[in-house]
């Protein structure tokens, strides 16, 4: 059921449902989240059931402010404090050691917990209203079925999870890809998932080098190589290869879509063409919606022109790599 995010009565109703242990999907500046009160393991269990998410994939707990974050954290290490000061509210999640006796199911029974204070007025209002009803934080993964493309509009949430769920409609998510995740629970910070905040900005704020996940650094449980998968098969291609492939294709009626920055539409007939924006923020904003739209068009294959190499494209490149990993 859709609730209008501009209506204070709707937010109060959603907060009531959260306090009662029910699920509510809500907008954030990154993607829509599927929320439950983080301090009730039974409520959190409903998230795993509805998403079809494996039990060992921890969730991010959304908090109204730093004081609420401190209720879930055993301690905030200096690096986490600096990142919180620099980027909250905003698209950054910090992983820290978890306080005893809270958020066990949300953290998938791990000793650490992911915390994020979102910068979206509706998410903020929901956290504040739920807070008044005794809820210290809202556990919320992206509001999609497990392994699928994240939802960036209320309609996408309904498409993924059905219309019995309470969904607060707040329009299209501004950023469009999920938060950057920095693990601050060990000696040196690790960027577990790139987002729209670049690594250099994160390092400057952290005052420390931030390692990239790789064979040497631990992967976040739940960050799978294959993820964000539309139904169509996605392949990323260097510009000249994509050009050559379209050349030999001629007018074969393949169910093919091309998502590219530099190839003009109309190069091959019968091919669905979407122009990838030249700016990474814009590309991130529309990425998941474009993948969904191409699925709706019924294409079997999506050929994506490789994004440019700059670090500002890391978040988009990461999501595309995973979408192409199946
Ligand atoms: O932008 C976002 O972060 C969105 C919105 C709704 O806030 N949320 C989101 O949640 O992307 P989700 O569940 O789709 O991705 C959360 C990821 C997990 O897959 C896992 O990799 C990591 O966060 N994570 C959460 N808690 C963790 C922990 N304690 N240790 C390591 N990784 C953790
Ligand atoms: Mg997700």
């Amino acid at each position: 059921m859709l609730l209008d995010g501009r209506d204070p009565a709707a937010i109060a109703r959603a907060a009531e449902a959260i306090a009662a242990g029910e699920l509510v999907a809500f907008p954030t500046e990154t993607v829509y989240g599927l929320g439950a009160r983080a301090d009730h393991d039974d409520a959190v269990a409903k998230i795993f059931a509805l998403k079809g998410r494996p039990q060992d994939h921890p969730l991010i707990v959304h908090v109204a402010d730093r004081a609420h974050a401190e209720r879930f954290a055993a301690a905030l290490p200096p690096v986490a404090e600096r990142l919180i000061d620099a980027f909250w509210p905003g698209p950054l999640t910090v992983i820290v050691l978890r306080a005893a006796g809270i958020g066990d199911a949300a953290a998938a029974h791990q000793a650490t917990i992911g915390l994020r204070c979102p910068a979206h007025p509706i998410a903020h209002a929901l956290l504040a209203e739920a807070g008044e009803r005794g809820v210290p934080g809202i556990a919320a993964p992206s509001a999609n079925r497990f392994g699928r493309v994240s939802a960036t509009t209320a309609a996408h949430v309904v498409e993924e999870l059905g219309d019995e769920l309470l969904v607060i409609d707040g329009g299209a998510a501004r950023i469009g890809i999920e938060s950057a995740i920095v693990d601050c629970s060990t000696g040196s910070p690790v960027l577990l998932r790139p987002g729209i905040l670049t690594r250099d900005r994160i390092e400057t704020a952290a005052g420390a080098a931030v390692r990239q996940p790789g064979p040497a650094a631990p992967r976040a449980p739940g960050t799978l190589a294959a993820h964000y998968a539309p139904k169509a098969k996605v392949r990323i291609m260097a510009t000249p290869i994509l050009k050559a492939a379209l050349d030999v294709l001629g007018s074969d009626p393949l169910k093919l879509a091309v998502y590219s920055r530099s190839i003009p539409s109309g190069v091959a007939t019968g091919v669905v063409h979407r122009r990838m924006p030249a700016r990474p923020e814009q590309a991130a904003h529309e990425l998941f919606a474009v993948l969904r739209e191409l699925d709706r068009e019924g294409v079997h294959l999506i050929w994506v022109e490789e994004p440019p190499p700059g670090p500002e494209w890391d978040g988009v490149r990461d999501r595309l790599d995973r979408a192409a990993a199946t």
Side-chain angles (χ1 to χ4, degrees):
M1 192 201 158
L2 281 187
L3 298 173
D4 183 348
R6 292 163 303 187
D7 176 7
I11 304 291
R13 177 172 170 198
E16 205 63 64
I18 289 279
E22 300 305 322
L23 300 182
V24 174
F26 61 96
T28 83
E29 75 279 28
T30 56
V31 299
Y32 275 68
L34 175 63
R37 62 184 299 168
D39 57 332
H40 281 194
D41 287 359
D42 293 350
V44 170
K46 295 178 186 170
I47 295 178
F48 286 89
L50 185 61
K51 275 194 68 137
R53 184 175 174 115
Q55 301 287 339
D56 60 346
H57 288 199
L59 311 178
I60 294 169
V61 175
H62 297 67
V63 290
D65 50 34
R66 181 187 156 143
H68 283 87
E70 283 170 355
R71 298 189 43 189
F72 289 91
L76 291 181
V79 165
E81 284 189 326
R82 288 195 287 271
L83 291 176
I84 287 171
D85 285 345
F87 300 120
W88 278 14
L92 177 92
T93 296
V94 294
I95 309 285
V96 297
L97 289 174
R98 182 162 60 93
I102 191 166
D104 195 36
H109 314 290
Q110 309 213 22
T112 56
I113 192 144
L115 299 168
R116 173 162 116 79
C117 174
H120 190 292
I122 294 174
H124 192 80
L126 179 65
L127 285 163
E129 288 270 344
E132 283 172 20
R133 293 165 174 82
V135 175
I138 299 179
S142 50
N144 52 278
R145 278 176 296 123
F146 176 65
R148 293 261 304 139
V149 179
S150 300
T152 53
T153 68
H156 296 166
V157 178
V158 173
E159 192 176 296
E160 285 289 314
L161 301 170
D163 56 11
E164 275 171 33
L165 177 68
L166 277 184
V167 182
I168 309 178
D169 190 348
R174 176 169 56 85
I175 292 175
I177 59 173
E178 304 82 353
S179 60
I181 302 179
V182 181
D183 186 351
C184 304
S185 70
T186 59
S188 63
V190 183
L191 181 63
L192 295 181
R193 180 174 73 184
I196 208 69
L197 291 174
T198 57
R199 190 154 72 105
D200 0 337
R201 284 188 65 196
I202 294 173
E203 287 191 321
T204 304
V210 174
R211 283 182 295 151
Q212 301 234 242
R219 252 201 125 87
T223 51
L224 302 178
H227 205 138
Y228 313 110
K231 295 190 186 89
K233 197 175 261 193
V234 178
R235 288 298 175 263
I236 301 163
M237 295 156 87
T239 314
I241 294 174
L242 178 55
K243 280 188 175 137
L246 285 169
D247 229 24
V248 297
L249 197 65
S251 57
D252 274 0
L254 259 182
K255 292 199 166 168
L256 171 68
V258 169
Y259 188 44
S260 87
R261 284 165 292 114
S262 58
I263 292 173
S265 59
V267 283
T269 48
V271 173
V272 179
H273 193 276
R274 288 287 176 281
R275 179 75 101 175
M276 186 189 292
R279 291 185 48 240
E281 293 81 10
Q282 193 55 32
H285 172 72
E286 67 168 49
L287 177 64
F288 291 141
V290 166
L291 294 178
R292 276 175 194 278
E293 186 190 320
L294 293 175
D295 262 350
R296 266 200 306 278
E297 302 233 10
V299 300
H300 293 171
L301 212 51
I302 304 172
W303 287 354
V304 180
E305 183 181 356
E306 201 170 52
E312 64 280 12
W313 285 88
D314 282 355
V316 168
R317 197 176 311 104
D318 170 79
R319 303 313 186 275
L320 280 172
D321 283 344
R322 288 173 212 250
T326 51

